[in-house]
Amino acid sequence: MSDPDPMCLTYIRCDGNTISEPWKLMFMDAMIRGTMHLSFVAHDLGLSSPFGVVKYCSSWEDVNSNLSSPTVRITEASFGGVEARVFESTAEGKETRLKRGVVYFHGGGWALCSTKMKPYYLLCMAMAEELDAVVISVEYRLAPDGRFPDQYNDVFQASKHILTAEVLGRYSIDLKRVAVSGDSAGGNLAAAVAQQMALDSSVSIKFKVQALLYPVLQALDFNTPSYQQNGHIPILHRPVMARFWLEYLNGDQKLVPALLANNHTALDQGQEMAAARAKINWTKLLPVAFHKNYKPVVPLHGDPELVEKLPGLLDVRAAPLLAETEVLKALPPAYIMTCEHDVLRDDGLMYATRLEEAGVHVTVDHYEDGFHGCLSFAFGPFRFSIGTRSLRNYIHWLKENL
């Protein structure tokens, strides 16, 4: 835990005043939206889960065999019964030196992607090589085979097993230099695990830092300024984010309109909901520059059955932004990447404010021309300049702070 410091929140605002390479992004988004639409139609016809077709198509990007390089050795392992891929730096002349460790959780809305997906595979290789690190990418269960809290339980059990002297020693990882990180839904899992690990007295080895890339941290307000501003901006659209939440929390996809209207957080929803709303009050937690001309959406009357159907909405393991201040005080320093053109921008910014108020050192790396998932586009044929820049800065922060 860091001592309270009024200067412990650092903002890095990267250049660019419009979305990065818009025509290329629009082309990518057209393909993604088309696949999403087909997947939702298949679900409505009873042929697959809501994201079943998308999952099948995304598997085409999987790396089918471990592609170790002269500087990175890649193996498969199991930690606490959870499968993972291990990327070990084998830099010449450094074999006997203790290395940094990074426990990484991939994104994909708790329903898509894997450690084998090429962007994540290449990201972990790059981290291992450039940080002279051991990166452990966890293969947690995905919806519909796993529902909340299955994904959380998988990454928690894996992390708890990894944070032992036996496992860290096996991979020559420095016990005092282990990070937890993840993007999007993986950022959600990383934040939740960081909170639990900080409180777990049975775990003597703690994460030194947490690095969250455009994380999703709450499902109580689908009308923050970033949700209103970027509702139809590539590549994560507002209704799709609600669908991901419902798939994770095992809810009916027909509840999307109710969530988007914030019916679950209406003023008549009781004291517990009122207390939760205070922890996501963007009018107090967001820097004024991000308010713009948007207004809060808090209905007078809502659906009291929504929270009964989706109890995970108020569970901090699913929504880390709802954690109590005393929990936040115990957390390690944080790096939070946010993107201007992302519905989840304000989740990250609000969490940064709450961490800073709790006395935690926070670096917010904000990209004015960034969009959701941009770092994954640092690789492959559809490479974006914003992907390369964000990857470089992310690795630089880890190099300086881990």
Side-chain angles (χ1 to χ4, degrees):
M1 186 189 101
S2 304
D3 292 329
D5 179 349
M7 299 301 292
C8 63
L9 178 60
T10 303
Y11 269 86
I12 304 172
R13 298 180 71 95
C14 293
D15 58 350
N17 55 15
T18 185
I19 200 163
S20 178
E21 301 176 72
W23 291 107
K24 188 190 297 186
L25 183 60
M26 288 172 66
F27 175 73
M28 286 291 301
D29 187 56
M31 292 193 297
I32 294 171
R33 291 183 77 168
T35 307
M36 286 282 188
H37 180 70
L38 181 61
S39 195
F40 298 153
V41 169
H43 171 253
D44 291 342
L45 294 174
L47 301 176
S48 75
S49 63
F51 296 97
V53 174
V54 182
K55 184 182 293 185
Y56 172 75
C57 292
S58 65
S59 69
W60 298 347
E61 276 205 277
D62 285 354
V63 175
N64 294 319
S65 59
N66 288 333
L67 302 176
S68 295
S69 73
T71 55
V72 179
R73 178 172 58 248
I74 304 168
T75 56
E76 296 175 16
S78 177
F79 302 99
V82 182
E83 297 302 312
R85 219 165 227 90
V86 182
F87 300 77
E88 297 177 75
S89 167
T90 57
E92 187 175 349
K94 298 182 179 179
E95 294 89 345
T96 60
R97 202 169 83 187
L98 290 178
K99 300 178 176 68
R100 298 177 177 95
V102 180
V103 181
Y104 193 85
F105 310 138
H106 67 79
W110 310 281
L112 302 173
C113 307
S114 74
T115 64
K116 296 183 294 183
M117 193 173 180
K118 189 171 290 184
Y120 291 117
Y121 199 94
L122 296 177
L123 168 62
C124 291
M125 284 190 73
M127 281 196 287
E129 181 174 13
E130 296 191 34
L131 293 171
D132 184 29
V134 177
V135 180
I136 301 175
S137 184
V138 179
E139 195 75 88
Y140 57 88
R141 281 173 287 179
L142 300 175
D145 299 322
R147 311 279 193 173
F148 175 77
D150 293 340
Q151 289 87 335
Y152 168 83
N153 287 339
D154 283 354
V155 296
F156 175 73
Q157 288 302 323
S159 299
K160 192 169 183 177
H161 190 80
I162 292 166
L163 289 180
T164 60
E166 178 190 354
V167 172
L168 296 178
R170 184 192 313 161
Y171 291 103
S172 298
I173 298 173
D174 189 332
L175 277 61
K176 297 180 179 179
R177 301 174 77 192
V178 186
V180 64
S181 185
D183 66 292
S184 194
N188 167 284
L189 295 171
V193 166
Q195 291 178 4
Q196 186 58 39
M197 285 297 175
L199 297 175
D200 195 330
S201 59
S202 70
V203 179
S204 59
I205 301 171
K206 304 293 185 180
F207 289 120
K208 182 179 181 182
V209 296
Q210 55 181 320
L212 315 177
L213 312 179
Y214 27 82
V216 50
L217 299 169
Q218 58 86 29
L220 296 185
D221 191 352
F222 286 91
N223 291 276
T224 61
S226 61
Y227 266 113
Q228 295 187 56
Q229 172 184 301
N230 302 309
H232 299 286
I233 297 294
I235 62 173
L236 180 61
H237 301 267
R238 183 168 167 261
V240 173
M241 191 62 244
R243 283 181 174 271
F244 275 129
W245 269 110
L246 289 168
E247 186 70 348
Y248 184 38
L249 300 180
N250 200 21
D252 191 327
Q253 292 288 318
K254 294 178 181 178
L255 295 176
V256 167
L259 290 185
L260 296 181
N262 282 358
N263 282 348
H264 52 312
T265 56
L267 292 175
D268 63 354
Q269 295 301 296
Q271 290 301 312
E272 184 179 11
M273 184 58 72
R277 276 200 309 271
K279 296 172 184 172
I280 60 162
N281 182 354
W282 62 260
T283 65
K284 294 183 178 179
L285 294 173
L286 284 183
V288 175
F290 294 99
H291 290 196
K292 302 180 181 178
N293 294 317
Y294 297 106
K295 304 297 182 184
V297 176
V298 186
L300 290 175
H301 305 287
D303 182 354
E305 295 184 356
L306 271 176
V307 177
E308 294 177 14
K309 294 175 181 176
L310 303 168
L313 290 170
L314 293 173
D315 193 317
V316 293
R317 296 172 300 170
L321 187 55
L322 301 181
E324 298 293 339
T325 300
E326 288 303 309
V327 174
L328 300 182
K329 287 180 178 179
L331 293 180
Y335 167 94
I336 302 178
M337 182 185 293
T338 58
C339 298
E340 181 63 24
H341 306 281
D342 179 9
V343 293
L344 300 180
R345 179 198 70 196
D346 295 345
D347 283 26
L349 294 177
M350 288 191 289
Y351 196 49
T353 299
R354 291 210 62 213
L355 288 172
E356 185 269 337
E357 290 176 346
V360 177
H361 282 266
V362 186
T363 298
V364 175
D365 193 6
H366 182 70
Y367 291 84
E368 296 285 356
D369 59 341
F371 54 88
H372 189 77
C374 62
L375 189 144
S376 293
F377 292 96
F379 312 97
F382 293 102
R383 188 174 303 180
F384 283 71
S385 61
I386 180 66
T388 305
R389 277 187 287 125
S390 59
L391 173 64
R392 182 177 63 244
N393 292 345
Y394 166 58
I395 289 179
H396 176 74
W397 187 88
L398 286 171
K399 190 174 293 185
E400 292 292 316
N401 292 275
L402 180 59

Coordinates of all heavy atoms in Angstrom, one line a residue, residues 123-162:
L123 N 1.7 -10.8 -27.9 CA 1.9 -9.8 -26.8 C 2.7 -10.4 -25.7 O 3.6 -9.8 -25.1 CB 0.5 -9.4 -26.3 CG 0.5 -8.6 -24.9 CD1 1.3 -7.3 -25.1 CD2 -0.9 -8.3 -24.5
C124 N 2.4 -11.6 -25.3 CA 3.1 -12.3 -24.2 C 4.5 -12.6 -24.6 O 5.4 -12.5 -23.7 CB 2.4 -13.5 -23.7 SG 0.8 -13.2 -22.9
M125 N 4.8 -12.9 -25.8 CA 6.1 -13.1 -26.3 C 6.9 -11.8 -26.2 O 8.1 -11.8 -25.7 CB 6.1 -13.6 -27.7 CG 5.8 -15.1 -27.9 SD 6.1 -15.7 -29.6 CE 7.9 -15.8 -29.6
A126 N 6.3 -10.7 -26.6 CA 6.9 -9.4 -26.6 C 7.3 -9.0 -25.2 O 8.4 -8.5 -24.9 CB 6.1 -8.4 -27.3
M127 N 6.3 -9.2 -24.3 CA 6.6 -8.8 -22.9 C 7.7 -9.7 -22.3 O 8.6 -9.1 -21.6 CB 5.3 -9.1 -22.0 CG 4.3 -7.9 -22.2 SD 3.1 -8.0 -20.8 CE 2.1 -9.4 -21.3
A128 N 7.7 -11.0 -22.5 CA 8.8 -11.8 -22.0 C 10.1 -11.4 -22.5 O 11.1 -11.3 -21.7 CB 8.5 -13.3 -22.4
E129 N 10.2 -11.1 -23.8 CA 11.5 -10.7 -24.4 C 12.0 -9.4 -23.9 O 13.1 -9.2 -23.5 CB 11.4 -10.8 -25.9 CG 12.7 -10.4 -26.6 CD 12.6 -10.6 -28.1 OE1 11.5 -10.7 -28.6 OE2 13.6 -10.6 -28.8
E130 N 11.1 -8.3 -24.0 CA 11.5 -7.0 -23.7 C 11.7 -6.7 -22.2 O 12.4 -5.8 -21.8 CB 10.5 -6.0 -24.3 CG 10.5 -6.1 -25.9 CD 9.8 -4.9 -26.5 OE1 9.8 -3.8 -26.0 OE2 9.1 -5.2 -27.5
L131 N 11.0 -7.4 -21.4 CA 11.1 -7.2 -19.9 C 12.0 -8.2 -19.3 O 12.3 -8.1 -18.1 CB 9.7 -7.4 -19.3 CG 8.6 -6.3 -19.6 CD1 7.3 -6.8 -19.0 CD2 9.0 -5.0 -19.0
D132 N 12.6 -9.1 -20.1 CA 13.4 -10.2 -19.5 C 12.6 -10.9 -18.4 O 13.0 -10.9 -17.2 CB 14.8 -9.8 -19.0 CG 15.6 -10.9 -18.5 OD1 15.4 -12.0 -19.0 OD2 16.4 -10.7 -17.6
A133 N 11.4 -11.4 -18.8 CA 10.4 -11.8 -17.8 C 9.8 -13.2 -18.1 O 10.1 -13.7 -19.2 CB 9.2 -10.8 -17.8
V134 N 9.1 -13.7 -17.1 CA 8.3 -14.9 -17.3 C 6.9 -14.4 -17.3 O 6.4 -13.9 -16.3 CB 8.6 -15.9 -16.2 CG1 7.6 -17.1 -16.4 CG2 10.0 -16.4 -16.2
V135 N 6.2 -14.6 -18.4 CA 4.8 -14.2 -18.5 C 3.9 -15.5 -18.5 O 4.1 -16.4 -19.3 CB 4.5 -13.4 -19.8 CG1 3.1 -13.0 -19.9 CG2 5.4 -12.2 -19.8
I136 N 3.0 -15.5 -17.6 CA 2.1 -16.6 -17.4 C 0.7 -16.2 -17.9 O 0.0 -15.4 -17.2 CB 2.0 -17.2 -16.0 CG1 3.4 -17.6 -15.6 CG2 1.1 -18.4 -15.9 CD1 3.6 -18.1 -14.1
S137 N 0.2 -16.7 -19.0 CA -1.1 -16.3 -19.6 C -2.1 -17.4 -19.2 O -1.9 -18.6 -19.7 CB -0.9 -16.2 -21.1 OG -2.1 -15.7 -21.7
V138 N -3.1 -17.0 -18.5 CA -4.0 -18.0 -17.9 C -5.2 -18.3 -18.8 O -5.9 -17.4 -19.3 CB -4.5 -17.5 -16.5 CG1 -5.5 -18.5 -15.9 CG2 -3.3 -17.2 -15.6
E139 N -5.5 -19.6 -19.0 CA -6.6 -20.1 -19.8 C -7.8 -20.4 -19.0 O -8.1 -21.5 -18.7 CB -6.1 -21.4 -20.6 CG -7.0 -21.7 -21.7 CD -6.8 -20.8 -22.9 OE1 -5.9 -21.2 -23.7 OE2 -7.5 -19.8 -23.1
Y140 N -8.5 -19.3 -18.6 CA -9.7 -19.5 -17.7 C -10.9 -19.9 -18.6 O -10.9 -19.8 -19.8 CB -10.0 -18.2 -17.0 CG -10.2 -17.0 -17.9 CD1 -11.4 -16.6 -18.4 CD2 -9.1 -16.1 -18.1 CE1 -11.6 -15.5 -19.2 CE2 -9.3 -15.0 -18.9 CZ -10.6 -14.7 -19.4 OH -10.7 -13.6 -20.2
R141 N -11.9 -20.4 -17.9 CA -13.1 -20.9 -18.6 C -13.8 -19.7 -19.2 O -13.8 -18.6 -18.7 CB -14.0 -21.6 -17.6 CG -13.6 -23.1 -17.3 CD -14.5 -23.6 -16.2 NE -14.1 -23.1 -14.9 CZ -14.7 -23.4 -13.8 NH1 -15.8 -24.3 -13.8 NH2 -14.3 -22.9 -12.6
L142 N -14.6 -20.0 -20.3 CA -15.3 -19.0 -21.0 C -16.8 -19.3 -21.0 O -17.2 -20.5 -21.0 CB -14.8 -18.9 -22.4 CG -13.4 -18.5 -22.7 CD1 -13.0 -18.5 -24.1 CD2 -13.1 -17.1 -22.1
A143 N -17.7 -18.3 -21.0 CA -19.1 -18.5 -21.2 C -19.4 -19.0 -22.6 O -18.7 -18.7 -23.5 CB -19.8 -17.2 -21.0
P144 N -20.4 -19.9 -22.8 CA -21.3 -20.4 -21.8 C -20.9 -21.5 -20.9 O -21.6 -22.0 -20.0 CB -22.5 -20.8 -22.6 CG -21.9 -21.3 -23.9 CD -20.7 -20.4 -24.1
D145 N -19.7 -22.1 -21.1 CA -19.2 -23.3 -20.4 C -19.0 -22.9 -18.9 O -19.1 -23.7 -18.0 CB -18.0 -23.9 -21.0 CG -18.2 -24.4 -22.4 OD1 -19.3 -24.9 -22.6 OD2 -17.4 -24.2 -23.3
G146 N -18.6 -21.6 -18.7 CA -18.4 -21.1 -17.4 C -19.1 -19.8 -17.2 O -19.1 -19.0 -18.1
R147 N -19.7 -19.6 -16.1 CA -20.4 -18.3 -15.8 C -19.9 -17.8 -14.5 O -19.2 -18.5 -13.7 CB -21.9 -18.6 -15.6 CG -22.6 -19.4 -16.7 CD -22.9 -18.5 -17.9 NE -23.8 -19.2 -18.8 CZ -24.4 -18.6 -19.9 NH1 -24.1 -17.4 -20.2 NH2 -25.2 -19.3 -20.7
F148 N -20.1 -16.5 -14.3 CA -19.6 -15.9 -13.0 C -20.1 -16.7 -11.8 O -21.3 -17.1 -11.8 CB -20.1 -14.5 -12.9 CG -19.8 -13.8 -11.6 CD1 -18.5 -13.4 -11.3 CD2 -20.7 -13.7 -10.6 CE1 -18.2 -12.8 -10.1 CE2 -20.4 -13.2 -9.3 CZ -19.2 -12.7 -9.1
P149 N -19.3 -17.1 -10.9 CA -17.9 -16.6 -10.7 C -16.8 -17.6 -11.3 O -15.7 -17.5 -10.8 CB -17.8 -16.5 -9.2 CG -18.6 -17.7 -8.7 CD -19.8 -17.8 -9.7
D150 N -17.1 -18.4 -12.2 CA -16.2 -19.4 -12.7 C -14.9 -18.8 -13.2 O -13.8 -19.2 -12.9 CB -16.8 -20.3 -13.8 CG -17.9 -21.2 -13.2 OD1 -17.9 -21.4 -12.0 OD2 -18.7 -21.7 -14.0
Q151 N -15.0 -17.8 -14.1 CA -13.9 -17.1 -14.6 C -13.0 -16.5 -13.5 O -11.8 -16.7 -13.5 CB -14.3 -16.1 -15.7 CG -14.9 -16.6 -17.0 CD -16.4 -16.9 -16.9 OE1 -16.9 -17.1 -15.8 NE2 -17.0 -16.8 -18.0
Y152 N -13.7 -15.8 -12.6 CA -12.9 -15.3 -11.5 C -12.2 -16.3 -10.7 O -11.1 -16.2 -10.3 CB -13.9 -14.4 -10.6 CG -13.3 -14.1 -9.3 CD1 -12.4 -13.0 -9.2 CD2 -13.5 -14.8 -8.2 CE1 -11.8 -12.6 -8.0 CE2 -12.9 -14.5 -6.9 CZ -12.1 -13.4 -6.9 OH -11.5 -13.1 -5.7
N153 N -13.0 -17.4 -10.4 CA -12.4 -18.5 -9.5 C -11.2 -19.1 -10.2 O -10.2 -19.4 -9.5 CB -13.4 -19.6 -9.3 CG -14.5 -19.1 -8.3 OD1 -14.2 -18.2 -7.5 ND2 -15.6 -19.8 -8.3
D154 N -11.2 -19.3 -11.5 CA -10.1 -19.8 -12.2 C -8.8 -19.0 -12.1 O -7.7 -19.4 -11.8 CB -10.4 -20.0 -13.7 CG -11.3 -21.2 -14.0 OD1 -11.6 -22.0 -13.1 OD2 -11.7 -21.4 -15.2
V155 N -9.0 -17.7 -12.4 CA -7.8 -16.8 -12.3 C -7.3 -16.6 -10.9 O -6.1 -16.4 -10.7 CB -8.1 -15.4 -13.0 CG1 -8.3 -15.6 -14.5 CG2 -9.2 -14.7 -12.4
F156 N -8.2 -16.6 -10.0 CA -7.8 -16.5 -8.6 C -7.0 -17.7 -8.1 O -6.0 -17.5 -7.5 CB -9.1 -16.3 -7.7 CG -8.7 -16.2 -6.2 CD1 -8.1 -15.1 -5.6 CD2 -9.0 -17.3 -5.4 CE1 -7.7 -15.1 -4.3 CE2 -8.7 -17.3 -4.0 CZ -8.1 -16.2 -3.5
Q157 N -7.6 -18.9 -8.4 CA -6.9 -20.1 -8.0 C -5.5 -20.2 -8.7 O -4.5 -20.6 -8.1 CB -7.7 -21.3 -8.3 CG -8.9 -21.5 -7.4 CD -8.6 -21.6 -6.0 OE1 -7.5 -22.2 -5.6 NE2 -9.4 -21.0 -5.1
A158 N -5.4 -19.9 -10.0 CA -4.2 -19.9 -10.7 C -3.2 -18.9 -10.1 O -2.0 -19.3 -9.8 CB -4.4 -19.6 -12.2
S159 N -3.6 -17.7 -9.8 CA -2.8 -16.7 -9.2 C -2.3 -17.1 -7.8 O -1.1 -16.9 -7.5 CB -3.5 -15.3 -9.1 OG -3.9 -14.9 -10.4
K160 N -3.2 -17.6 -7.0 CA -2.8 -18.0 -5.7 C -1.7 -19.1 -5.7 O -0.8 -19.2 -4.9 CB -4.0 -18.5 -4.9 CG -3.8 -18.7 -3.4 CD -5.1 -18.9 -2.7 CE -4.9 -19.0 -1.2 NZ -6.2 -19.1 -0.5
H161 N -1.8 -20.0 -6.7 CA -0.9 -21.1 -6.8 C 0.5 -20.6 -7.4 O 1.5 -21.0 -7.0 CB -1.4 -22.2 -7.8 CG -0.6 -23.4 -7.9 ND1 -0.7 -24.4 -6.9 CD2 0.3 -23.8 -8.7 CE1 0.1 -25.4 -7.2 NE2 0.8 -25.1 -8.3
I162 N 0.4 -19.6 -8.3 CA 1.6 -19.0 -8.9 C 2.4 -18.2 -7.8 O 3.6 -18.3 -7.7 CB 1.3 -18.1 -10.1 CG1 0.7 -18.9 -11.2 CG2 2.5 -17.3 -10.5 CD1 0.0 -18.1 -12.3

